[in-house]
Structures are given as C-alpha cells and as structure tokens.
Amino acid sequence: MKRATEPIDDLDVGLQIPISDIFDRIWRLFVSMRTGLALILGLAVLSLIGTLLVQAPPEVKADPTAYATWLDSIAPKYGGWTRIFDSAGFFSMFSSVWFRGVTVLLVTSIVACSIRRAPLLWRRAVHPRIAMGDSFFANAPLTTVFGANSNPEATLEAVRRVLRRRHLRVSVDSSGGDIHVHADRFRWGPWGTIAAHLSIISILVGAVIGATWGYRDNSLAVAVGNAPVAVGGGTGLTVAARSFSATYYPGGSTPSDYSSVLAVYRNGREVASQTVRVNQPLQVGDVAFHQAYFGGAVAMRVQDAAGKVLFDEAVPLLLASTDGKESVGRFSLPEVGATVYVVEAASGVVDPSIRAGQAKVEVYNPGSDQPAATSVVSQGQSAPVAGLMFTFVRERQFAGLMVARDPGAPLVWGGAVLLVLGIVLVFYFPHRRIWVRLRRDEMHTTEVRLASAQRRDAGFAAHFARIADDIKAAVKAAHTP
Amino acid sequence: MFKMSEYSFVAGTIAVGLALACYVLAFIAVRIARARTGLVAAGVGGETVVVNGSGMAGLAAYGSLITSLALAFLTMSLMFRTIASGHGPFVNMYEFAIAFAWGVVAVYVYFEHRYHQRMLSVLVLPVALGLLIYATMQPADIEPLVPALQNNLLLTIHVAVAIIAYGTFAIAFASAVLYLIQPDGGIPGLPKPEVLDSIAHRAVVIGFPFLTLTIVFGALWANIAWGSYWSWDPKETASLVTWLLFGSYLHARVVRGWRGRRAAWLLVIGFAAAIFTFFGNLFFGGLHSYATGGGN
Ligand code: HEM
C-alpha cells in the first residue's frame, strides 16, 4: 500500500539519467520496472495462449504437407479462427516470433536492471549512508524517540552493545555535531535479486544452447541380439541391447516394469553398460539413453538362391497396421532392390491367418505398392518368397530408446539452483537497517532517535520495537562517568 | 489401511464443511449485531440492545477447533493411503484433490495461528471443500503404477512442494478478494486493507519459492523419465503461467500505480491460473495425463 517512502539512498531517488539521446531513452525503458512488469505479464499471456490452443508437434510443423493435414484436422475445433491463429503463429507459440521476441526483450530488461542495480546494492552493502537528515527521522515509517541520562558517547556504547548483541553490523559517523549510527544485518540479502535475475538468463541461455547444439532422437529402436546401432548427432557412439524384460500386473496389459541391458561403444570399444529402465537412464558423458517404449522383433535370415546370406538381423516391429490388429516391421534388401515387410498379429489379437509364433513376409519390388510375393513362416522354419529363402530364426524384443545430448543442461540446472537460492536469500534474509541519532541536549544528556525505513518486510516492525526496547533499557542503565 | 484412509477422508470433508458453517454463522451474527448497534448509536431503535459478542466469538473458536480437526483427518487420510498404496498422493485426481485440499487447510491453519484473521476462512475453506467434494466424485481405487511413476522420491517432493505453494496461493487469493471488496478506507468489521496486503504478501513470499521448487523438481523428474527437462507440455506451461503471474505480483508491488488494487487482482488471476493448472489434465491431454502414460 502507500507507505512513506523517503529517499534513503540512490536506490530510492529514481533515475537521474539525462534523456538527451536515444540510447538513454532505450536504457530508461529497459530499466523501468513498469517495462519489466509488462514483459513478464506479456510472457504469461503468450504462454497461456500456448496452453489453451493445441500446439503442432515440431515434426509436423517441419513438414508442410503434414502441417496442412494437421491444420485440417483441428479446423473443426477452431472454425474460422484456425487461419488467423495459424498466421499469427499461435499453433507453435513457443517457437513463434512473439514468444521469442518478448523473451529477448525480457532478458534485455533483466540485464539492464541488474547492471543498474548491482553498483547501487554494492554501495549500500559496503558504504551505507550513515548520517541521515532530520526529515528522514521525522518521516520514516518506523521511528521512536526517548531521552538518555548519559552523554552521547556513553549512550553510544550502550546502543552499540545492544545492536551488536542482535547481530547487527554497526557503523558510526560522529563527524557532525550529532553521533549517527547505521546498523544493519543481512546486507547481502538484496543480492538475491541479482542472483535470481541472472539465473533466468542462465536457464534461457542453457535452453538455447541445448536447442541449437543438442541432439535428440525420440525413437531409436534397438533389437536384442543385433549388432550395435549407430547413435546420431555426431556422438560417435553405437548402442546394443543385450537383453530385454518386461513384467506385467496380474491380468492386465499394464507393464509394471520393463528394462533392457544396454551396452554403448565408441570406436568399437565398450564404454558403458547398464540396466536401463524408465526412471533409470544410462549416461555416457553428456549423452543420456532413456528406456521409452518396447515391442516385439522378428529375427530373420534371408538367403539368395546360391545360399548367400543377404540379411541376418532382428527386425523391430515398430509399425502398427491402420486397424491396430497387426504389428509390422520393415527392412530392405539393397542387393536385390526389394523392401520386405514382416507382419505379426498384434499382442492379444487372434488372427487365424497369422497365428502365434508365425510371421507373414511380404516382398515389395521398387515402385510397386502390391507385394510381389507373400508367405507365412513359422518360428524356426524357412520358406521361399520371391526367389529368396526366408528363415524366421526366432522371436525377439526391441528396446525403444530416447537418446538425448544436451550441452546446455549444466547452465539450466545451475540456473535453477541459483534461482532458488536467490529467491530464498531475498525473501528470508531481507536487508534490515536501523539508523540511530544521538544528540546532546542542554542538560548534557542525550536525545536518542531511532528510525527505519523497512517497507516490504512484515516481520520487521516487531523486530524494530524489540530493539528499541532493548536500547531504552540499556541506556537507562548507562550513566555518564 | 485403505478403509481407514477413506473414513478419514470423509471425516475431514465433513469437518471442513462444519468449520466453514461455524465461521460463516459467526460472521453473520457479528454483522447483524454490528448493524443493530449502528442503529442504536444513530438513535433509531430507541431501545437498548445488548450486543452479546461472546457467543459469536465462541462459534468462531469452534470453527478454528474443527478446522484443526479437519487438518488432522486429512493428514491421516493421506498417510493411510500412502501406506496402503506404497506411494505418495500423485497418481490420480482423487489423490491430487485431497492433497491440494490438505495444503489449503494446513496453510490456513498456519496463517490463522500467525495473523488471527479468521475472516479469511470464509473464502479459503470453500476452496478446500470444493476440492474434497470433487474428490468424492473421483474413483478412489488404488491403481497399479506405470513404470514412469514408480520409486519416485523426486515426484513425491514435487507434489509436496506444489501442495504448499497452492495452499499459500489460496490464502493470498482470499486476502486479495477481501481487499478488493473494500473501498479505500476499509469497511469496519473486515480486516484492514493494509493487514490483508501484508498477509497476501507473506503468503506469496512463502508460496513463490515453493512454486519455483515445484517446477524445478518437475523438470528434474521429466529429465530422468522423459529425457527432457521441458517439453511445453500443457500442464508444465500452465504452471509457468502461474509462476509468471506471481512473479509479476512481486514486481507490481514496487511499481507506482500497481500497488494495492492491481496487485490484488494479479493474486486473484494467479490463483485462477493455479486452479487451471491443477485441473489442466481435464482440459488438455499431454504427458501429465497418467491414465494413458507409460509404456505404450
Ligand atoms: C521472469 C523474470 C523475473 C523474475 C523471475 C524476477 C524475480 C524477482 C524476484 C524474486 C525479486 C524479489 C522480489 C521481492 O523482493 O519482493 C525481484 C525483484 C526485482 N526485480 Fe525481478 N524478476 C524478473 C524480471 C525482472 C525484470 C524484467 C526487471 C526489470 C525491469 C526486474 C527488476 C526487478 C527489481 C528492480 C527488483 C527489486 C525490487 C525491489 O525490491 O525494490 N525483474 N525479481
């Protein structure tokens, strides 16, 4: 609410920068709390819009035809607004020019505020203003005045003792006629705002670094038993799944746990190996391997008429047929220019044409959308399809991994820690300051005035009153020698 | 254990309702008494009215007592359920709603003890009661945990700090509403605007660091479970909106023209955002809709 706000030091007198040129104007704009407030609220509004409107997945956004289809699919929901929201970029709010623009302005404003504030906070902490004028003592929100029976020097000693006992730092200025005392505690508390503000920048910079130089693969399927698969993003790593296991809750299809044993190689040498489950990723340097999903795989061997092995790997069944009744895997045979689909009945589905323990093989020639030949093969058996010999070696499983490398993460986590510490510092260690003025009166006794200008610290008034009582009691006990 | 948890939950809900009734009756009675004395002072009635405030004060004291009982019941309910299910209250809306209500009541009890402004209960307890009634409409069964939610200390902390944050925001909200309904000088019989402003600020000073921790722990967990600390998941984003709104409140308090009323409005909007974040799962899908989460 409105409280008396006498200027205590430079922090409170406002800006005294001449607005002579454009730079000063811009500077003033960015250091203004009003601007800062508008920017924070602006970011809140944009985020809210981004929460309320469905957001296009990034991979859809990257593909114009997929995006057009996606827009059609949401058009019934937003009607005529679809086009407007789309041209405003609201369906990818968090990468939109609005969101990025406001974020950049906010960062600028935070930097400006911190640059302006840091030297002032430094001065306040290191060279506080000790001698305050009469009007300050008359108008401060917290004041008290009483007489002491001793001279100012003796009173000072009593005051000093009380303040010290209350863990306040005491600075004295007796250069004028009066003795002025400045006592404070937690003078580094306000630096929490600087920490909190810089932490936001650290987090945002970390996020930008992660988005720019990081790498992410949300679906890397690694079938058990296969040779190591290359991890992208210039990591130079390969990964293999040694085993996989899943357990289910009784009577249901809800997995209670699933895990795979992964081995990671660099230049063919194993560098790490671990059991990976959903909450237990494998970390290799700055690359993390997360267990994300899983499914069945079919170990398949293909030989040509001469018996030469063209393919011998487990094929993860990553795809589902449109009716959801079949799980489908795919691989290609470059030597004969064919693409092969391996189809099994989805788990829990009874399909008389592909029974449990069987897989259907479909061979497609390039440019054709009809299979050249198909055949159902049972586990452990072989069947000729399109002039090739297909062997269904055995059922396997695959581990679906999410691989992420985020070079910005340390800045993000460091920033998060700094943010929390900064906020705690500001709120729980507020800079508490008290001024005392000791003025000799005609009787060679002393008029003691206490004042404080605490504004946003509700608990301080009571604290101030206790200190005032202590000082009163102490100066009563003190006598002029 | 499961049954005990259910009984405590019902007892807690009834206690919150009763406490609210006591407080409301007490305040209505005090207002009527005040209006009558007002008339007497103005010389309208002609007869002497003896205002017996002590009975009313007694009623409000029952309100306080029953609120503490409600807190005890809700605490027991959450404890028994945690024992029965083997995990913290973070799996479904039933558990969230009770936990949220617990936070609101707990923070209210603390603030009543600290600042003696029982008028806040009239706005705070309906929030808790609403959440508990909402919980009664949710399936209470203990469901099997998908792997992403298992063995998770981070998740328990994430929810625990969120509950405290939301509870304090309910206090800030109640203070802001009581502030906003008063003209500048205040209304006799209602808590003074300066007091309300200071309580609201205290609440945010506690709540804002907790909300910050909520988001940080949520991000830590997401990073482990989903391999990414931030995915612009709607619930995440909604919590960011809430955080920005309370952050703007902290700044508004030092901007001329924003102190007082506008700052109070920010608290009301911020609380609305917190509620929206809480119920967000119902409006939008996303990673936080656990029913479909997990393996696929
Ligand atoms: C999302 C962005 C921001 C966050 C999280 C943030 C956080 C904080 C926090 C926690 C405080 C302490 C509040 C208090 O003492 O009650 C604070 C104070 C402050 N902030 Fe920010 N801030 C942000 C943006 C800004 C911007 C853009 C500006 C520049 C205009 C700014 C200027 C200040 C100033 C000058 C103070 C000190 C107010 C005072 O105590 O006198 N902040 N900020």
Side-chain angles (χ1 to χ4, degrees):
Chain A
M1 296 329 88
K2 293 166 201 113
R3 307 231 171 95
T5 46
E6 270 284 292
I8 301 170
D9 51 27
D10 327 26
L11 280 178
D12 298 280
V13 280
L15 296 168
Q16 287 169 341
I17 300 164
I19 41 168
S20 50
D21 63 51
I22 210 86
F23 178 79
D24 280 344
R25 266 174 203 265
I26 293 174
W27 171 256
R28 273 179 62 119
L29 187 66
F30 277 112
V31 298
S32 150
M33 279 290 270
R34 201 172 288 277
T35 310
L37 182 59
L39 290 172
I40 303 174
L41 283 173
L43 203 62
V45 169
L46 292 178
S47 304
L48 183 64
I49 296 175
T51 314
L52 294 175
L53 300 183
V54 263
Q55 297 292 298
E59 60 276 12
V60 168
K61 184 74 185 172
D63 174 356
T65 41
Y67 185 64
T69 318
W70 184 85
L71 274 186
D72 289 340
S73 75
I74 57 157
K77 195 164 169 192
Y78 298 109
W81 289 97
T82 314
R83 195 176 279 251
I84 299 170
F85 289 155
D86 173 42
S87 49
F90 283 1
F91 292 129
S92 354
M93 176 57 86
F94 303 105
S95 51
S96 70
V97 55
W98 312 113
F99 195 81
R100 291 197 169 149
V102 172
T103 308
V104 167
L105 291 178
L106 185 69
V107 167
T108 315
S109 177
I110 291 176
V111 171
C113 282
S114 304
I115 291 178
R116 188 176 97 85
R117 242 171 108 78
L120 304 178
L121 288 180
W122 175 260
R123 220 175 309 152
R124 193 189 259 195
V126 178
H127 308 293
R129 183 168 156 194
I130 299 171
M132 301 300 284
D134 288 348
S135 83
F136 172 74
F137 281 99
N139 299 324
L142 298 170
T143 55
T144 178
V145 58
F146 51 87
N149 289 327
S150 48
N151 66 24
E153 289 71 26
T155 311
L156 173 63
E157 283 323 300
V159 169
R160 199 198 287 271
R161 267 199 307 280
V162 170
L163 294 173
R164 288 254 169 88
R165 201 169 60 231
R166 292 225 172 238
H167 310 288
L168 289 131
R169 174 183 65 154
V170 179
S171 329
V172 178
D173 176 358
S174 45
S175 56
D178 301 326
I179 298 182
H180 286 276
V181 179
H182 171 268
D184 68 347
R185 192 171 186 200
F186 303 140
R187 70 194 121 127
W188 302 113
W191 287 83
T193 54
I194 304 279
H197 289 149
L198 293 185
S199 72
I200 306 277
I201 295 171
S202 173
I203 290 170
L204 288 173
V205 169
V208 169
I209 290 178
T212 313
W213 289 290
Y215 170 74
R216 222 185 141 70
D217 183 350
N218 281 328
S219 49
L220 180 65
V222 183
V224 174
N226 277 359
V229 181
V231 176
T235 55
L237 300 173
T238 56
V239 58
R242 293 212 172 121
S243 65
F244 179 87
S245 71
T247 50
Y248 292 84
Y249 285 107
S253 58
T254 313
S256 61
D257 187 24
Y258 50 97
S259 63
S260 48
V261 177
L262 296 187
V264 177
Y265 306 85
R266 173 171 280 130
N267 301 328
R269 261 197 34 242
E270 182 178 314
V271 287
S273 157
Q274 183 193 308
T275 304
V276 173
R277 25 169 70 82
V278 172
N279 283 334
Q280 213 175 305
L282 165 62
Q283 190 84 34
V284 181
D286 60 355
V287 184
F289 295 83
H290 297 262
Q291 171 72 63
Y293 55 102
F294 63 90
V298 172
M300 187 63 73
R301 187 181 312 126
V302 186
Q303 288 157 290
D304 65 11
K308 186 177 155 218
V309 176
L310 302 179
F311 183 88
D312 189 8
E313 266 182 48
V315 183
L317 305 179
L318 289 171
L319 312 168
S321 59
T322 33
D323 59 8
K325 290 190 173 148
E326 291 167 344
S327 303
V328 184
R330 185 176 66 175
F331 64 96
S332 48
L333 296 171
E335 285 165 56
V336 293
T339 302
V340 181
Y341 283 85
V342 184
V343 183
E344 279 195 353
S347 72
V349 175
V350 179
D351 182 342
S353 66
I354 314 172
R355 285 194 295 274
Q358 292 187 323
K360 184 166 74 170
V361 174
E362 301 178 346
V363 179
Y364 287 75
N365 287 321
S368 161
D369 57 359
Q370 290 299 316
T374 72
S375 175
V376 173
V377 195
S378 297
Q379 191 172 176
Q381 314 254 303
S382 303
V385 190
L388 300 167
M389 184 59 74
F390 285 79
T391 309
F392 181 170
V393 182
R394 56 170 291 187
E395 298 262 16
R396 293 261 194 203
Q397 280 187 299
F398 77 87
L401 305 181
M402 208 154 57
V403 185
R405 190 178 54 111
D406 187 349
L411 278 176
V412 172
W413 299 121
V417 171
L418 197 62
L419 177 61
V420 172
L421 289 181
I423 292 175
V424 167
L425 198 59
V426 186
F427 287 155
Y428 294 100
F429 300 93
H431 192 189
R432 301 188 146 167
R433 334 172 66 189
I434 291 178
W435 284 266
V436 184
R437 191 189 68 193
L438 306 174
R439 175 171 285 177
R440 187 186 302 272
D441 55 25
E442 301 89 57
M443 316 294 293
H444 292 284
T445 54
T446 306
E447 179 212 63
V448 182
R449 265 182 197 276
L450 265 69
S452 184
Q454 212 73 28
R455 276 165 299 164
R456 288 189 308 281
D457 176 6
F460 185 69
H463 187 68
F464 180 83
R466 280 196 299 274
I467 290 184
D469 287 346
D470 278 9
I471 291 182
K472 255 182 245 178
V475 298
K476 277 229 179 69
H479 286 287
T480 306
Chain B
M1 282 300 160
F2 177 73
K3 277 272 168 271
M4 305 252 278
S5 155
E6 293 291 283
Y7 295 146
S8 314
F9 160 63
V10 172
T13 308
I14 293 171
V16 170
L18 270 179
L20 179 61
C22 287
Y23 283 124
V24 169
L25 283 178
F27 292 124
I28 291 175
V30 167
R31 286 220 72 82
I32 291 173
R34 211 173 256 283
R36 287 223 209 120
T37 37
L39 290 182
V40 175
V44 181
E47 71 212 278
T48 321
V49 182
V50 178
V51 181
N52 183 356
S54 67
M56 300 310 121
L59 205 50
Y62 277 120
S64 302
L65 185 69
I66 300 172
T67 310
S68 304
L69 266 178
L71 179 61
F73 282 131
L74 292 178
T75 309
M76 282 181 346
S77 168
L78 287 175
M79 268 170 33
F80 289 138
R81 191 168 170 98
T82 300
I83 295 170
S85 68
H87 56 74
F90 49 64
V91 172
N92 52 29
M93 287 307 270
Y94 172 81
E95 294 182 347
F96 280 142
I98 300 178
F100 190 172
W102 181 91
V104 171
V105 175
V107 174
Y108 172 75
V109 167
Y110 170 76
F111 271 78
E112 185 185 290
H113 175 75
R114 229 12 242 281
Y115 297 96
H116 313 290
Q117 295 297 339
R118 287 193 283 216
M119 185 73 86
L120 292 174
S121 64
V122 174
L123 288 157
V124 173
L125 292 187
V127 173
L129 191 59
L131 286 164
L132 291 169
I133 290 172
Y134 171 77
T136 59
M137 299 185 295
Q138 299 300 309
D141 316 322
I142 293 174
E143 297 150 27
L145 283 186
V146 297
L149 296 178
Q150 287 167 14
N151 313 326
N152 223 305
L153 183 63
L154 276 180
L155 199 49
T156 309
I157 299 174
H158 170 65
V159 174
V161 290
I163 290 166
I164 304 293
Y166 285 14
T168 61
F169 295 155
I171 296 286
F173 160 77
S175 312
V177 170
L178 285 179
Y179 183 94
L180 287 169
I181 60 172
Q182 301 190 58
D184 271 346
I187 295 177
L190 290 186
K192 286 207 183 56
E194 308 83 79
V195 173
L196 290 167
D197 177 69
S198 147
I199 291 180
H201 183 239
R202 269 327 284 174
V204 176
V205 160
I206 298 171
F208 192 70
F210 275 90
L211 183 62
T212 310
L213 282 175
T214 306
I215 296 176
V216 171
F217 279 108
L220 269 172
W221 174 54
N223 194 46
I224 289 174
W226 303 326
S228 160
Y229 54 82
W230 196 265
S231 329
W232 296 112
D233 161 67
K235 190 147 178 152
E236 257 170 17
T237 315
S239 73
L240 176 71
V241 173
T242 310
W243 187 77
L244 288 171
L245 286 170
F246 283 100
S248 69
Y249 162 81
L250 290 171
H251 291 80
R253 279 178 56 93
V254 287
V255 174
R256 202 163 291 124
W258 276 81
R259 284 165 217 165
R261 278 184 192 280
R262 287 200 196 173
W265 273 113
L266 284 177
L267 293 177
V268 174
I269 300 169
F271 185 64
I275 294 278
F276 173 69
T277 308
F278 175 79
F279 285 109
N281 309 40
L282 307 181
F283 301 117
F284 33 70
L287 298 167
H288 272 83
S289 47
Y290 303 114
T292 59
N296 61 48

